[in-house]
Structure formats: structure tokens, C-alpha cells
Amino acid sequence: MRFGLVLTLCLYVAALTGSALAATPRIVGGQEATAADWGFVAALETKHGSSFCGGAVVAPQWVLTAGHCRLYSASAVQVVAGATDLAAPNRQVLMVDRQLRHPLYRQPVKGAPRADLMLVHLTSATTAPVIPIATGTKAPAVGTLLHVAGWGSTAYSSRDDTYGPGVTLLRQTAVRVSPADTCATAYGTKAFATAAMFCAALPDKDACAGDSGGPLVSGAGASGILVGVVSWGTGCALNDYPGVYSLAAHNRCWIESTIGLPGAPDVALATDDGSLVVNWESSKPCVEATDPTGFRIRIAETGHQIDVGGTVRRLDLAGLVNGAPLTVLVSALNINGEGPAASKTATPGPNLVTAVEAVWSAYRQVTTTFVLAPHATDVQWRIEGGSDLKFKAAPWQVAPAASEPTIISFARSGVPRGRQLEFRIATFDGAITSTTERIELSVATPPVAIRRPHLRGTAAVGTTLHCDLGHWSGTRPFVVVRQWLRDDQALADQTAATFVPRTVDAGRTVACRVTISGPGGIVRRTTSGLVIAS
Ligand code: 4AZ
């Protein structure tokens, strides 16, 4: 930090140092860094190309830097990754769309931020190498040799509290982990939070203004591990004021939950009348963990997929198939994608309403039958769907509480044949249950004679003749009408199954005309005629 603590503590500095330090060249006190060792280092620049903070590539689209480096809006910032020379013509410049500060970032002492971390999201992936974050929770042992790099000031003058200019070629220096109490004594326990920060120093070597957000690493090159993030300090390379770093390991949970996929949620299923209630909890590895942006719920058997927002924790699935077990998968989503799914299987209780059949009950008439399970309270029901039949407006009906199943039959006339129809019933038990059950009516086929109608009996006066209907296929029910004919003329009132010819019929031809009307159409067939003997 260039401002803030530097100013608050300048009195101490003056008092403790007595004589002001001369400006020291380099990061402060370092050497030029190589891309082989520091490929994961990133620079935060303004759109004019002036670098103001360092950072480390922790995932192809994520750079970890300091919280106090959020100086501009994301659209005003660009990131140079994988380059040590910020002026190199082939340097990789990446756009930024998010700057996520650690949720606990604050400055209880101005200039001495806590949880001084920020994750910067790049609009596209960098090809720069990714540095792993140190495991464990504690700072390395006192005296551990670490290295820090940046494009910040190479000089600081305590005489007039001024910082020298930054550099375009990355510089690095070694520092050693300081004892925590040295640091707490130097800065005060209000400014220095032992668990989350640590100090590092070596004589005349330090990170300085503009190095903030940059990486402090153990090991080198491909075996480098991110241990700290440059945060603040009084001046640079002052004997009694070691550089202060955020402890990366202490914040690993927040970092990993922000740059990685969300974990599988905890899922619980409750079954109800034809429904499943899905409840879940987001897996939260630590309080600072970044919350999922949403959840995805899938039903394996039906292929249904429902996306809900990140604050939703419950989904009611109604109108499910009777008695069939269903597997529900729930996964969490964040800006990095979809996490692994947790799955639970349960069998919803039988629907309150069950579809029995939809049949042609007469020509152009359909009867739909549903059964309501025994119900303790009154149930309202109505037939819905079949928009072409205008069933949408069917009024609610009440089925009183019943200890036995209730049959609901609904007849509709004027239904054109040859149409595939769907009926739906909705029920409402006065509380929450609203179940729908669908039923399909197939296309009606016209009557077709498999065996034609024919006359049985002897064609003689006074002897009974039978009008046999033959055999018919086609969608039932059939309405059958017989008509006896004499010389092709209909005989009034002769529509019974039998006919007894009288003297007047002798020598004439008698036949029976059969009319079969079904939902699929009307067909007429006349038997062969018989000449009546006298
Ligand atoms: C800065 O302003 C800054 N010597 C970073 C680190 C230190 C001082 C200032 C520690 O970026």
C-alpha cells in the first residue's frame, strides 16, 4: 500500500529510523526475473497500458491479486499474463469481466487491509502457466526463503516518503519469513492479523509500491507454489518494517470455490400425492465460499431439466406418473460451469387422480373417465386441455370427501372424428395439491363389414326371417338400425331383427338394410334379397 498506513505510520518511521534511508535501487533490491521462473505472473494495467498491480494466474481464466487493487471498473482494466516484458509486442493482453474481492476484505486500519485478495476473471483463457496454491493453513516457518516479483517501484525514500518509478521488465527478489510477533510489534495487532497475514523481509530487499497483488512463492518455475500475495507495509525495505503478505493457504477455500466448479449439493426427496418435493443445500466448504449462481434439476427417467436461481433450495414436481420410481439429479452452477450432480431416487405416491379411459361413447361423442383416490377433504376438479374443443373453460366441480374411489365421467358431444385428442384433469384439494393426469383418445375408425349382413330362414309366407348383422370392425360403440325392404322399398315400422312375410309379400323380393353408425362413421349394407314363396 502506497497510501494510508504509510502516512499513519510515518511518525514511527521518522522516530525509529532516525536517519532516513537513501533510495535503494531495484524491486527493491532484486534482479530481473525470467519467464521460465515467473510465467504465471500477471500485471493489472489500465487500458492505457500503465501497470498498477501484480497478480498470479491461478486458473486459465483467473488471476489472484490484492483486494486493494480494485481501483477501476473491470472494463477499464486489462491483464498481461505470461510476459516479463510489459512492452513486448507479442505480450498476451486479456480483457476482464469481473473483479471479485474477498468477502471479508476491509481496512480496520487505513492502509492495512485484511483479507486483501481479489480474483479477477478474464474473458478468455490465458496460455500462461497456472501456479498452485500452498496447502495447509499456516505461514511457512520463520526464516523460510521465498521469492517475490513485480513491476513496482525499485526505490523508496523515507526522507520524503516517495516511491521511485515502476519498471517494464519484471524484477524479483528473495525474502525470508519474519516472526509474527516482530510484525505485530512493528505494525500493531489492530493492523496485523496473525492468522491471515505474515511478513517477510531481507535487508534492503522488499516488495514496493506497484508490486501489490503480486505473488510470493516457494520453489521456482514449474515447481513454484503460491505462498503469499503482496499486500502492504510501511515504505519499502525499511529495517523495522517487513513487507506484509496475505497468506494464500488461509484463503484457499475461497479461492478454490471461486475459480472452480461448485460441489455437489446435499439433496433430500419427499414424496407426496403424485409429486416429489426436492430440497437441497448448497455444499459450502467454508463461510467465505462463493455461492452458486444457480442450480440444475434433472429427472433421469423423463429427461426433464429445470434451472433455478442461486437462492432457490426447493422444487415441487407435481403431476408425476403413478408409482414409478424417479431419479432426481441436482447440480450447482457457477460462472465456471456446472458442478457434479447429487442424485436421489424416490417413488411418488399415487396420483390423487388416475386416468381410466377416454372412449367414443357414441357418434361424435367422447366420454372421459377418471378416478379420484379416497380423499379426506372436498376435491375440486375440472377437465382441461383439448383447446380445439374449448375445454379450457370447463368450470370447477366439487367431489365431496369420500372414503371410496370416486368415478368422474365427462361426456362431450360434437367431437369430430378422425382426431387425436388429449384430455387433462386438474384437481385441487384446497391446500397445495394440484395434480394433472392426461389421457389420450385415439382416432376413430369407420365400421367395416368383415362378414356382410345376411338373411337366415326360409323365404315363405308365415315363416320367420332373421336379419343377421354379420361381423363388423371399427371403433365402437355401434348404433345399429335394421330396415326391412320389399322390392327395395322400406316397409313402415319393420325395423326388428325378424320379419314374418305375409300373403302380400308372396312373389316379392324381401331384404334387410343394416345401418351401422360408430364414432368413425356410418355404413349401410343391404342383404341379398329372397323371393317369398306363397
Ligand atoms: C504497494 O503500495 C506496496 N514493502 C506494496 C508492498 C509494500 C509496500 C507498498 C511492502 O503496492
Side-chain angles (χ1 to χ4, degrees), residues 48-98:
H48 307 291
S50 101
S51 116
F52 58 89
C53 271
V57 176
V58 289
Q61 269 183 278
W62 290 99
V63 168
L64 179 66
T65 182
H68 76 265
C69 290
R70 195 173 73 188
L71 302 178
Y72 309 97
S73 66
S75 60
V77 176
Q78 63 189 27
V79 165
V80 178
T84 53
D85 180 0
L86 293 183
N90 61 346
R91 71 208 184 116
Q92 199 182 2
V93 180
L94 300 126
M95 299 302 119
V96 170
D97 58 1
R98 283 185 183 84

Side-chain angles (χ1 to χ4, degrees), residues 36 107-108 116 132 138 147 160 256 300 310 378 380 397 413 434 437 527:
Q107 293 200 26
D116 189 16
K138 293 197 165 64
H147 289 86
D160 46 5
E256 285 174 355
D378 287 0
Q380 295 184 49
Q397 320 247 7
S413 50
S434 177
E437 181 86 333
T527 63

